[in-house]
Amino acid sequence: MSLKKVALRYDAWPEIGLGHLRRGYSLALELTSRNIDYYHVVPERTVPILLRDGIAESQIIVCEPLNVDWLRSRPDISHVITDFHWHGNAPSASAEASLIASTGVCVTVIDCIAPDDYIDQFPAPNAVITPYLNAGNLRNSPPKNTIWKNGARYSILSPEYKTWRAQSETSASGRILITCGGSDPDAFSIDSVTALLPLETPLDVVVGPLFSNQIKAELADLQKAFPQITLHDAPKSLAPLIARSACVVGRLGLIRYEAACLGKNGIFLSAGTAYREYLNGFKAQGFAEIFLDGDPNGRSNYLNRLRDLSNPKLRKIVFEPNATAKELVDGNGAANVIDLIMSLPAGKLQ
């Protein structure tokens, strides 16, 4: 494919988290390594997050949902990668992907919401990537002329995870990493930390960039009272924290694949119950333990599981390296996605 510029079209804000943004950044790094130019294409409400992270204004295009005026005014764009499917917006996101395809550019849809959030619409994109565990069994193949790539080998992580795989160590007396995503609207991080305090083992707690001042203050108070707590304020990367941890706990998100890539066991809580079949597959394959807070006592069951780690026998098991998960997520996802894009025909704006 003869690339001009790639448009990374994604969403990010407190209610949906920063997973889409982090995948966008990872793809941007992979494109940079290949000397391919790109834009970050995001709604107005996402722009402050990018500017805070040091993304140059010249690389940002502001867009509106279901509107492709931004694309029609940029003839230098030959390919668009969309990553804007989030829980509850499947119809509009799928319609926008089709609208982008109607301009004639080459389009790849990334849909990380299992089991089948992307809705086939015409004109169809050139490729659909479902980068999650057991994707091949959880959704139907897309339209005949659309390339479909699926599975955990396409999970998009920062290139550094491939490096950290070789350095990651686990020990039965190791640290526990607690991460609840970029935002924490229901004080989930407070509950997770409190449940683990009786273990008296070192706790690394990630303070997301969108945490409220109240949550930050409560975590700071806990740190003063309990010296085993170390707070990490909006770290640029979680990779070194995961690498030195014995296990990872918290809110379900991209972290489940990041932890798996470094061979760590995870204990997570997922919102709702919409993806039960998909999430049950993680435990069935020995990938991670995932609780559903939409279940009766789902949140309390998760917290009780954390408290159970005070049992040395269980802790030893959970702290063991997870070879199964590490094999499934090899850290090459971003490269695999860009390799696919390079094999597609160049698009032209109509």
Side-chain angles (χ1 to χ4, degrees), residues 27 30 34 157 331-340:
L27 290 172
E30 182 64 30
R34 304 183 189 213
L157 307 179
N332 293 317
N336 292 337
V337 170
I338 301 305
D339 283 345
L340 170 63

Side-chain angles (χ1 to χ4, degrees), residues 1 3-4 6 26-38 81 153-154 159 162 331-344:
M1 176 178 176
L3 290 170
K4 294 181 180 178
V6 174
S26 297
L27 290 172
L29 287 172
E30 182 64 30
L31 290 168
T32 298
S33 73
R34 304 183 189 213
N35 296 314
I36 299 172
D37 291 330
Y38 57 87
I81 303 175
R153 71 182 299 267
Y154 286 96
K162 191 172 180 181
N332 293 317
N336 292 337
V337 170
I338 301 305
D339 283 345
L340 170 63
I341 290 170
M342 296 293 291
S343 73
L344 299 173

Side-chain angles (χ1 to χ4, degrees), residues 9-11 41-44 47 61-65 67 70 96:
R9 168 68 185 95
Y10 57 88
D11 295 339
V41 184
V42 297
E44 182 70 44
V47 172
I61 299 175
V62 180
C63 69
E64 298 178 2
N67 187 316
W70 63 269
E96 184 174 344

Side-chain angles (χ1 to χ4, degrees), residues 10 15 86 119 121 138 151 164 170 193-194 259 278 306 329 348:
Y10 57 88
E15 291 78 10
W86 35 270
I119 300 171
Q121 298 192 26
L138 291 171
W164 278 103
T170 305
V193 170
T194 303
Y278 160 56
L306 299 191
V329 184
K348 296 180 180 180

Side-chain angles (χ1 to χ4, degrees), residues 14 180-190 210-212 215 219 251 299:
C180 297
S183 59
D184 186 14
D186 60 351
F188 185 59
S189 56
I190 303 292
L210 305 180
F211 276 30
S212 69
I215 297 298
L219 287 172
R251 180 67 73 183
R299 185 170 179 136

